[in-house]
Amino acid sequence: MFGLYIFVLAVFVGYQIITKVPALLHTPLMSATNAISGISLVASLVIAGGSYGKLSTILGVIAVAAATVNVVGGFLITDRMLKMFKRKK
């Protein structure tokens, strides 16, 4: 029950932050989010590589794949947004 409370609170706080941030600050916010995703990638690598059982290894591999997609996609989008701010020659 405590986990559900934390999840609902995180959804509410995340929605409030995303809707209140001006468009100019989306790129730095996205970069910070990529850094947090990097931390989750390291944690999922630890879980996948540890000897906690077959189920935790499978879930760890799935978490590694999802975190990798999130990190790579986030950096690609950040790079694309930064190119939009460059002056044209």
Side-chain angles (χ1 to χ4, degrees):
M1 188 65 184
F2 184 70
L4 180 64
Y5 173 73
I6 295 296
F7 178 72
V8 170
L9 184 63
V11 168
F12 176 74
V13 170
Y15 178 76
Q16 292 298 320
I17 288 173
I18 293 299
T19 57
K20 302 277 192 269
V21 171
L24 186 62
L25 295 178
H26 277 190
T27 302
L29 181 66
M30 188 173 288
S31 297
T33 309
N34 288 340
I36 293 171
S37 294
I39 294 170
S40 67
L41 179 60
V42 170
S44 60
L45 282 171
V46 169
I47 295 296
S51 58
Y52 301 110
K54 197 174 224 175
L55 180 63
S56 66
T57 302
I58 292 170
L59 291 175
V61 169
I62 292 171
V64 167
T68 302
V69 168
N70 192 19
V71 169
V72 171
F75 278 113
L76 288 175
I77 290 173
T78 301
D79 186 52
R80 184 176 176 189
M81 289 179 69
L82 288 175
K83 285 180 183 174
M84 293 171 60
F85 290 110
K86 287 184 180 178
R87 293 185 183 167
K88 296 179 182 173
K89 294 180 182 177

